Amino acid sequence: MADSPAFADPHADLAPLAAAVAAQLDRARSDLADLVALPSVHDAEPEACAQASDLVRGLLTDLPIPGLGPDSVEVIETSDGSRAVFAHRPAAPGRPTVLLYSHYDVQPSGDPGEWTSSPWELTERDGRWYGRGAADCKGNLVVHLAALRALAALGDDDEVGDPGADPLDGLGIRLVVEGSEETGGGGLDDLVASRPDLVAAEAILIADSGNVSVGTPTLTTSLRGIANLVVVVDTLEAGVHSGQFGGAAPDALAALISILASLRDPATGATTVDGLDFTGEWDGQAYPEETFRADAGILDGVEVSTAAPLADLVWSRPAVTVLGIDCPPVEGAIAAVQPRARALVNLRVPPGIDPVEAQRLLTAHIERRRPWNARVTVEPEAVGHPFRSVPAGGSDPVHDLLSQCLVQAYGAEEVAVVGSGGSIPLCTALQRAHPDASIALFGVEDPAAAIHSPDESVDPREIERIALAEAAFLQRYR
């Protein structure tokens, strides 16, 4: 690894680089259209996933960067059966290495009838590009491609640089594009643990996040972990007539509802798991209620939690969500007391809370709340650890430089620093593999992107501005 990096002038004129990035937008759209056309849903569309990994390999192989080419690109099958694509250009002596990450797998499209246009065809409407993966995360992949191509084009410009010179001045580059992030990314996590050399870098740029709004440059510094479990309640050998036995027979569904209700304070909405710390405070960008309501699509008149400031609640405190319940549907229901019911409970935990301990506390809380001595079984699922890229109240030189590049690229006064209630387990795996590396999260998503939902989209201006900021970072990072 190189010594601690120094940085080139962060206020240098970006005009030539901005022009070079703008010239890449047609190619970016073409690449994104090719990627979106492949329904690369891991575990559901193996042929499309294979085609997507082949396409990504070709795109990385064709990058016009000295040191990148067919011999520098490798496809590795991971433990979950997906394929991760790696490209590596070694650093010159004394120069650091930057790793650029994205993923090519996507969420299922769901009901095609809920889409305005085909989820597998990149379509432009009202200035946005629509299609599954347009933002999450194929749009972020084309950011990496556009940034590197712009730097190469700038280096070949007679009027700007030395034709044929290394546009990255010896900077080491790694690109990692995985194929199973949307299903947990466990395959790449395993590979990172067994082959840390594949991801060795001083700076790791994770393009799998986004901005608080279009035109507002944003860095995500905190991710919550996951500690899910399944609760099963059994009370009867079989369902019995609700008229004949109802009122005395122990209703498994009612018991489950009682247990689940104990996980939230009915007045404030606060998570109320016995022993779980619910005092965390967010030290970055606030989350105004009107913005939160719009982002979440909260119906008029429906209240949000009053337990704490919203930024604290979604980024720095644990949260329980009931993801699903197995019980008879209303349509076709019969008049019977239910003998069994179960639910999947999602517990998100912020940095500073051990997800294994949190899961233990949640289990104990549930077992103590069993009504009527019902038989309650708790089945823990695998946990995901929370992540923080910058120590609370601290700073990081890579974040500082990237912030300066984002401010310039957007013509903004400052960068919004936010957390995310979501999880990217790879961040923790990378941090464990290379604890001295700086990890930064950013990307092209915005609240209107509707990732994981019908009519997912990306604003191409975000692709351009994020690519410009990334290219400036690569140009200046020392």
Side-chain angles (χ1 to χ4, degrees), residues 50-410:
Q51 291 173 337
S53 68
D54 289 343
L55 176 56
V56 171
R57 179 175 187 167
L59 292 169
L60 300 190
T61 298
D62 291 341
L63 283 170
I65 299 291
L68 289 177
D71 294 337
S72 67
V73 181
E74 182 179 12
V75 178
I76 300 178
E77 184 169 329
T78 63
S79 60
D80 61 5
S82 67
R83 298 202 288 180
V85 187
F86 295 82
H88 179 213
R89 169 191 130 120
R95 293 285 275 131
T97 294
V98 177
L99 184 149
L100 307 176
Y101 166 88
S102 188
H103 62 88
Y104 64 80
D105 66 305
V106 295
Q107 286 283 329
S109 63
D111 182 359
E114 296 183 3
W115 288 73
T116 303
S117 53
S118 169
W120 310 118
E121 180 181 354
L122 193 67
T123 306
E124 182 171 356
R125 295 194 304 277
D126 300 322
R128 296 184 70 94
W129 297 347
Y130 287 80
R132 173 60 85 224
D136 182 22
C137 194
K138 294 172 177 179
N140 285 308
L141 171 55
V142 301
V143 161
H144 294 325
L145 301 175
L148 291 169
R149 288 175 183 146
L151 288 168
L154 197 64
D156 287 339
D157 189 333
D158 291 341
E159 298 180 1
V160 177
D162 178 14
D166 179 7
L168 296 172
D169 191 25
L171 181 71
I173 292 291
R174 292 185 185 274
L175 292 110
V176 180
V177 187
E178 70 164 308
S180 61
E181 192 276 342
E182 297 293 1
T183 54
L188 185 57
D189 292 359
D190 293 343
L191 186 60
V192 166
S194 64
R195 291 282 311 276
D197 57 294
L198 291 170
V199 293
E202 282 77 13
I204 299 174
L205 305 188
I206 306 288
D208 191 12
S209 185
N211 295 333
V212 296
S213 62
V214 172
T216 303
T218 304
L219 286 174
T220 299
T221 61
S222 174
L223 301 169
R224 289 194 293 198
I226 299 177
N228 290 359
L229 51 79
V230 174
V231 185
V232 182
V233 179
D234 290 289
T235 57
L236 300 165
E237 293 180 354
V240 294
H241 194 285
S242 62
Q244 185 176 2
F245 297 101
D251 185 330
L253 181 54
L256 177 63
I257 291 170
S258 174
I259 291 170
L260 299 179
S262 75
L263 300 175
R264 290 271 189 170
D265 184 299
T268 67
T271 293
T272 53
V273 175
D274 297 341
L276 194 59
D277 181 15
F278 195 74
T279 62
E281 296 181 353
W282 178 247
D283 60 357
Q285 183 93 358
Y287 205 157
E289 181 176 339
E290 60 273 18
T291 304
F292 179 81
R293 295 184 70 91
D295 291 350
I298 297 174
L299 300 178
D300 290 343
V302 178
E303 298 177 352
V304 299
S305 175
T306 60
L310 293 176
D312 295 353
L313 293 176
V314 297
W315 299 330
S316 291
R317 299 192 183 187
V320 167
T321 303
V322 179
L323 299 185
I325 298 178
D326 286 343
C327 61
V330 172
E331 189 71 30
I334 61 174
V337 178
Q338 297 305 310
R340 163 177 273 226
R342 69 174 188 157
L344 173 60
V345 179
N346 169 243
L347 175 61
R348 299 278 181 171
V349 293
I353 293 181
D354 179 359
V356 176
E357 174 63 8
Q359 191 178 61
R360 186 193 69 77
L361 291 171
L362 177 58
T363 299
H365 175 105
I366 289 170
E367 290 176 340
R368 279 194 294 268
R369 297 305 192 284
R370 65 179 74 198
W372 321 310
N373 202 32
R375 295 182 183 178
V376 175
T377 305
V378 178
E379 303 168 355
E381 297 193 337
V383 302
H385 288 265
F387 170 80
R388 189 173 181 99
S389 62
V390 179
S395 64
D396 175 89
V398 167
H399 274 252
D400 292 345
L401 176 62
L402 184 56
S403 293
Q404 293 163 353
C405 294
L406 284 164
V407 163
Q408 274 193 282
Y410 276 79

